[in-house]
Amino acid sequence: MRPLIPASEQPPLPQGRFIVDEDPDPEAVPLDVLFVGGGPAGLAGAIRLAQLSARDRAEGGPLADLEIGVLEKSGELGEHCLSGAVVNPEAFRTLFPALDESELPFRGRVAGDQVLLLTRRKRVRVPTPPTMRNHGHHVASICEIVRWLGGQAEELGVNVFTGFPADALLMRGGGVLGVRTTPAGLDREGNPAGGYMPATDLSARVTVLTEGTRGPLSQAWLEREGVGSANPQIFALGVKELWEVARPPDSVTHTMGWPLPRDAFGGSFIYPMGGNLVSLGLVVGLDAPYVDLDVHALLQRLKQHPFVRAILDGGELVEWGAKTIPEGGYHAIPDRLSGDGLLVAGDAAGLVDVASLKGIHYAMTSGILAAETIGRALSDESEQSGDAKGAVAAARLSSYDAMLRESLIRDPLHRNRNQRLAFKSGFFSGGLKAGLMQVTGGTFPGTRIASGPDATDPRRKRLGLESAYEGEYAVAKVDAVFRSGNATRDDIPSHLVMRGETEEGVSPEMAELYASLCPAGVYERAGDRLVVNAPNCIDCKATDVLGPRWTPREGGSGPTYKRM
């Protein structure tokens, strides 16, 4: 078949939508520091900064009256958060050294690890790679972690604004002065309707972008500033289901092999979540060379395997969701994450180590380092110039980059910097290279493995997943979206930007790719035409990687995850 290149039909990032060269409105909500995104990075940063402020209140220091805000697009904290998750607790120990482990928002210590190589009917246990050993780590729900962190932040006096997506950065003279939120109550054509609420401006001396994966403001700011990276960021899509079962497994399980072909990078996870809950998911790289790549369908096929089917036997699906994951590793972290009045942290900065399947503690650590950088910058300004105003200068915030890089150089994320990229050459070759990297402490192959963006990788093959939904526990996309708790209004304006701004600008072949890729059934191919069901969107941002651009929409739209 003729190779299909997603980049050929992907619209450019609408940078002008996400960056507005205006001062904040005179009626703007005034803050000193604003974290855009109420996930682990934003909340950890807000908590650490609030701790510094509390210290200065006790000691009469310059941060005593700091106004800190967290802006979150979901209706309640945690509703847009999804992860496996097995958590390294070190960032929690940094933030809460006085708390006992039993007081932290985890569901239990990892009791054991196993890695399985699957064929269609059988399984073979293989040695657990050192990077995937989880001794001392904890299974957890990222939703529950975020809600708990939010409570800690509010107790410290942080202003948490839920249901307010950030629509654009407000900039003047190269400095970031705050953000403007997305209006609510618009009809399908974008006109004010019942319950209309105009956009609100929030001003801040420092804005920290903790938007998570594919954050549009982060993308726009990096593009505008001309900030690159050694390699472009690459992504995977993870689809996860939460099941209530009669006999949950004891061990944390990861699988590789079937149902994935050898030229698709990924695997599954099966985590006991305490009680009768089990977390089941499949993660697949978005560089896979398949026109009909459908991670949701592949997960349904995985449930036909005797090992997985036995776990689910007699069980019930209680929650479902999906999310993109940055996989580029150390080489894809932007060269600069600081500027005048701005820092970038968490998944928005690509802080995920694929080899160890860890990202939450990296997100929290980056938020903590951002807070400590801001605290020093504001304290120094206060001592040198008294009541300073406006965006904090980039020179005062640039130490964040150095601190973050220094912390990562000593970390597995740097040691494993080429492991995901090794699998660009295939399953067996990649496995051999990854093993050599492990033995040599990351020095093999002696140089960076270069890669390109996912959207430039050609799609030449088909998976043929028509039979994926024949299994007993298979769930269709429309039913899965219901299990996500999608709270989007049916008459909301579309937030998805197509090539040429309409569905007519998309070829039939690309329409098939979008329809297969999207786990929520947002896109359908009807003959040679693309049909878009925007309210179905659960904000996983998979097609933002390869096709239509995702933009913020009315607050509280999208999924309402509770235990994902």
Side-chain angles (χ1 to χ4, degrees):
M1 63 181 293
R2 180 174 63 89
L4 190 66
I5 311 293
S8 67
E9 296 190 30
Q10 185 174 39
L13 182 76
Q15 187 191 114
R17 156 76 188 269
F18 301 134
I19 296 180
V20 179
D21 290 301
E22 292 180 13
D23 291 321
D25 186 85
E27 300 298 317
V29 177
L31 297 165
D32 294 299
V33 183
L34 175 63
F35 293 84
V36 178
L43 289 168
I47 288 168
R48 182 64 184 135
L49 198 54
Q51 290 172 340
L52 297 175
S53 179
R55 179 201 64 190
D56 276 16
R57 279 197 298 276
E59 300 175 357
L63 303 178
D65 299 320
L66 211 57
E67 286 290 341
I68 307 163
V70 175
L71 197 66
E72 168 54 37
K73 61 186 173 68
S74 63
E76 299 290 341
L77 286 176
E79 290 184 340
H80 286 184
C81 294
L82 184 148
S83 184
V86 174
V87 181
N88 180 333
E90 65 180 31
F92 285 88
R93 293 182 184 132
T94 299
L95 274 183
F96 309 106
L99 289 186
D100 184 78
E101 187 178 280
S102 63
E103 299 176 84
L104 298 175
F106 305 141
R107 285 181 163 258
R109 270 183 174 266
V110 173
D113 287 294
Q114 66 173 346
V115 177
L116 304 177
L117 176 63
L118 300 185
T119 63
R120 182 179 294 272
R121 301 285 304 171
K122 298 182 182 300
R123 69 184 190 272
V124 177
R125 184 167 182 172
V126 298
T128 301
T131 58
M132 297 174 67
R133 294 172 186 165
N134 286 295
H135 177 73
H137 296 167
H138 300 258
V139 290
S141 157
I142 187 62
C143 301
E144 294 171 353
I145 285 175
V146 164
R147 286 197 294 270
W148 186 87
L149 288 172
Q152 300 296 314
E154 289 180 320
E155 285 182 14
L156 288 164
V158 174
N159 303 286
V160 178
F161 306 103
T162 56
F164 290 95
D167 204 59
L169 288 173
L170 300 173
M171 296 186 68
R172 181 67 75 188
V176 175
L177 302 175
V179 303
R180 178 165 294 158
T181 66
T182 305
L186 301 177
D187 64 19
R188 188 170 281 112
E189 285 69 44
N191 301 312
Y196 173 68
M197 181 183 297
T200 300
D201 289 356
L202 296 90
S203 64
R205 301 206 57 218
V206 184
T207 299
V208 188
L209 296 179
T210 52
E211 304 171 281
T213 179
R214 301 293 294 179
L217 273 58
S218 305
Q219 291 184 69
W221 182 82
L222 291 167
E223 182 177 280
R224 175 163 165 152
E225 293 286 305
V227 178
S229 54
N231 281 345
Q233 189 58 262
I234 59 176
F235 294 86
L237 175 63
V239 180
K240 174 182 172 180
E241 298 179 356
L242 191 66
W243 283 74
E244 291 181 351
V245 299
R247 295 175 299 280
D250 297 324
S251 298
V252 162
T253 300
H254 296 98
T255 79
M256 51 188 175
W258 192 88
L260 299 185
R262 292 174 184 171
D263 52 1
F265 179 81
S268 82
F269 59 88
I270 305 170
Y271 299 161
M273 297 296 290
N276 62 345
L277 286 178
V278 63
S279 172
L280 169 67
L282 184 68
V283 180
V284 184
L286 294 182
D287 55 353
Y290 294 90
V291 173
D292 58 345
L293 177 66
D294 188 333
V295 183
H296 175 77
L298 286 165
L299 178 58
Q300 306 317 303
R301 177 171 282 181
L302 174 69
K303 291 188 289 186
Q304 298 173 16
H305 193 281
F307 172 73
V308 180
R309 197 169 63 241
I311 293 172
L312 302 182
D313 187 33
E316 178 186 3
L317 173 64
V318 293
E319 205 164 348
W320 173 95
K323 175 183 179 288
T324 46
I325 304 162
E327 286 199 332
Y330 186 84
H331 292 311
I333 297 172
D335 296 333
R336 176 164 60 86
L337 295 168
S338 61
D340 290 323
L342 184 130
L343 297 174
V344 184
D347 275 10
L351 302 178
V352 172
D353 178 34
V354 175
S356 62
L357 309 176
K358 296 292 181 292
I360 293 171
H361 75 283
Y362 290 117
M364 292 179 66
T365 298
S366 67
I368 292 167
L369 294 176
E372 292 175 347
T373 301
I374 294 165
R376 280 192 299 273
L378 293 177
S379 295
D380 291 347
E381 275 199 352
S382 177
E383 291 175 4
Q384 295 175 18
S385 54
D387 189 23
K389 300 294 183 184
V392 174
R396 293 191 183 276
L397 298 174
S398 62
S399 61
Y400 168 69
D401 287 285
M403 291 168 60
L404 183 63
R405 292 280 177 179
E406 183 180 351
S407 74
L408 295 177
I409 287 292
R410 304 189 302 268
D411 190 273
L413 195 148
H414 179 262
R415 187 171 63 246
N416 301 332
R417 57 195 176 277
N418 278 314
Q419 286 210 22
R420 165 62 177 94
L421 304 172
F423 286 89
K424 288 278 189 179
S425 57
F427 180 78
F428 292 112
S429 174
L432 176 61
K433 292 176 184 177
L436 290 171
M437 291 170 191
Q438 188 64 44
V439 169
T440 62
T443 59
F444 177 85
T447 187
R448 169 178 60 90
I449 297 178
S451 69
D454 294 317
T456 63
D457 286 322
R459 320 288 150 146
R460 308 173 186 272
K461 304 178 182 180
R462 290 185 178 277
L463 285 165
L465 295 170
E466 292 78 10
S467 64
Y469 295 96
E470 294 176 359
E472 179 182 358
Y473 296 112
V475 57
K477 289 184 177 181
V478 65
D479 297 320
V481 172
F482 175 78
R483 295 292 188 182
S484 76
N486 192 345
T488 309
R489 288 189 293 116
D490 289 339
D491 58 349
I492 197 170
S494 178
H495 61 298
L496 303 165
V497 179
M498 312 287 162
R499 188 182 72 161
E501 300 191 0
T502 66
E503 293 88 333
E504 282 70 26
V506 177
S507 69
E509 296 79 13
M510 205 65 72
E512 180 185 6
L513 185 146
Y514 300 161
S516 299
L517 178 64
C518 176
V522 171
Y523 305 94
E524 297 178 59
R525 179 178 174 179
D528 288 342
R529 195 168 64 88
L530 179 68
V531 177
V532 180
N533 309 301
N536 276 24
C537 181
I538 55 165
D539 296 353
C540 75
K541 302 180 185 173
T543 55
D544 189 70
V545 177
L546 300 180
R549 298 288 186 170
W550 183 94
T551 67
R553 52 185 173 162
E554 179 177 303
S557 299
T560 56
Y561 301 140
K562 302 304 179 187
R563 296 182 289 181
M564 295 299 273

